[in-house]
Amino acid sequence: MIIIIMGPQGSGKGTQADKLADKFDMIHVSTGDILRDEVQRHGKYEDIVKECMNKGELVPDKINDAIVKKVVERYKKGLILDGYPRSMHQAQEILNMTKIDYIVSLNIDDETAVERISKRLICTSNHKVFIEGKITKEDIKECEDSGGKIIKREDDTPENVKSRLKVYHEETAPIIDYFKKQKQNVIEVDATKPINEVYEDILKLMN
Ligand code: ADP
């Protein structure tokens, strides 16, 4: 089974993807996490990825296409893809690569998105997401044990989030209509609700 999870910054893609991955025993892959790792370990695309991320722009399609192609080949039996596709080219590319079982679209307004991102922290190693002021000792220990630190993402500044939301509305949101026209199985949920309610809504609509 392959599930694509889509939605603007702060809509909870990673959180819902993790829950679905646990339930259905699937692998959750985030292109954002892979790209951040590329920078952290000074990979060959470090400079271009860093530059795009710091500007709130998309990283070139070619780099993402190559990443996702490998991931799809490896995990097609059970994959939740988060962060891809983000451009019309990538949407066409994924349909060429594989059959998709569900496309989950998390809907949230920009104001809530900016507010959520302003409180978001992440673990640099296990990629878990936290909310400022709500981190427990266990969270810190778990992250440190995995070799990481809980930090604010460099690109999570209010300015950068606004640029990313603009890119989302211009380049990524139109993909949802494209998928509907291609008769794909698109599930739309209200992602402003609490985490568990969003999760239950997704499960209900998946049947
Ligand atoms: P968010 O959803 O908060 O923007 P992500 O971690 O999903 O966070 O992505 C962070 C950044 O990584 C994006 O702003 C973009 O620069 C880059 N990125 C991730 N996935 C893609 C993709 N499929 N195509 C282009 N750029 C991407």
Side-chain angles (χ1 to χ4, degrees), residues 4-18:
I4 288 177
I5 190 141
M6 295 186 63
Q9 289 65 28
S11 58
K13 294 187 296 276
T15 306
Q16 297 299 333
D18 276 342

Side-chain angles (χ1 to χ4, degrees), residues 51-68:
E51 191 188 329
C52 295
M53 277 187 164
N54 288 341
K55 286 194 199 152
E57 288 171 3
L58 294 184
V59 171
D61 283 334
K62 266 197 181 161
I63 296 178
N64 283 284
D65 293 347
I67 291 173
V68 169

Side-chain angles (χ1 to χ4, degrees), residues 7-14 30-36 48-61 63-65 67-68 82-87 90 117 120 153 155-156 160-161 164-165 167-168 172:
Q9 289 65 28
S11 58
K13 294 187 296 276
S30 150
T31 49
D33 287 342
I34 291 177
L35 294 170
R36 273 184 290 281
I48 176 86
V49 170
K50 212 163 153 183
E51 191 188 329
C52 295
M53 277 187 164
N54 288 341
K55 286 194 199 152
E57 288 171 3
L58 294 184
V59 171
D61 283 334
I63 296 178
N64 283 284
D65 293 347
I67 291 173
V68 169
D82 152 10
Y84 186 102
R86 267 176 138 108
S87 65
Q90 293 177 17
I117 297 287
R120 170 163 82 177
R153 262 170 56 176
D155 61 343
D156 275 354
N160 194 307
V161 173
R164 272 144 68 205
L165 282 168
V167 171
Y168 181 84
T172 309

Side-chain angles (χ1 to χ4, degrees), residues 6 88 91 95 103 105 107 168-169 171-186 188:
M6 295 186 63
M88 198 51 84
L95 292 185
I103 294 148
S105 167
N107 297 332
Y168 181 84
H169 292 302
E171 302 200 35
T172 309
I175 296 175
I176 313 262
D177 275 337
Y178 168 74
F179 279 148
K180 285 183 191 162
K181 282 193 192 117
Q182 298 295 315
K183 303 271 180 273
Q184 296 294 315
N185 204 353
V186 179
E188 291 190 272

Side-chain angles (χ1 to χ4, degrees), residues 11 26 33 39 67 75 85 100 123 125 137-138 178-179 183:
S11 58
M26 298 166 83
D33 287 342
V39 173
I67 291 173
Y75 300 117
I100 299 158
C123 171
S125 173
K137 279 189 191 145
E138 289 75 32
Y178 168 74
F179 279 148
K183 303 271 180 273

Side-chain angles (χ1 to χ4, degrees), residues 11-152:
S11 58
K13 294 187 296 276
T15 306
Q16 297 299 333
D18 276 342
K19 288 174 83 70
L20 292 167
D22 270 356
K23 176 159 177 85
F24 296 113
D25 196 17
M26 298 166 83
I27 301 287
H28 166 206
V29 173
S30 150
T31 49
D33 287 342
I34 291 177
L35 294 170
R36 273 184 290 281
D37 285 347
E38 175 74 10
V39 173
Q40 218 174 311
R41 59 181 179 80
H42 309 296
K44 70 172 171 180
Y45 299 120
E46 178 187 5
D47 292 341
I48 176 86
V49 170
K50 212 163 153 183
E51 191 188 329
C52 295
M53 277 187 164
N54 288 341
K55 286 194 199 152
E57 288 171 3
L58 294 184
V59 171
D61 283 334
K62 266 197 181 161
I63 296 178
N64 283 284
D65 293 347
I67 291 173
V68 169
K69 211 161 181 225
K70 276 197 207 144
V71 166
V72 167
E73 273 164 22
R74 185 151 177 207
Y75 300 117
K76 58 176 166 256
K77 280 197 184 139
L79 172 67
I80 306 202
L81 199 49
D82 152 10
Y84 186 102
R86 267 176 138 108
S87 65
M88 198 51 84
H89 162 85
Q90 293 177 17
Q92 290 161 349
E93 199 67 16
I94 191 80
L95 292 185
N96 288 333
M97 277 184 227
T98 179
K99 173 183 173 298
I100 299 158
D101 295 276
Y102 298 99
I103 294 148
V104 177
S105 167
L106 302 175
N107 297 332
I108 170 183
D109 55 283
D110 283 10
E111 204 183 322
T112 313
V114 173
E115 199 192 308
R116 283 187 185 175
I117 297 287
S118 71
K119 297 185 198 143
R120 170 163 82 177
L121 299 172
I122 58 155
C123 171
T124 51
S125 173
N126 70 21
H127 306 302
K128 278 200 176 166
V129 174
F130 305 97
I131 300 171
E132 225 169 72
K134 290 192 179 167
I135 302 171
T136 64
K137 279 189 191 145
E138 289 75 32
D139 292 335
I140 297 173
K141 185 170 183 308
E142 195 189 334
C143 174
E144 286 180 353
D145 285 351
S146 73
K149 264 201 277 182
I150 296 183
I151 58 151
K152 191 164 183 74

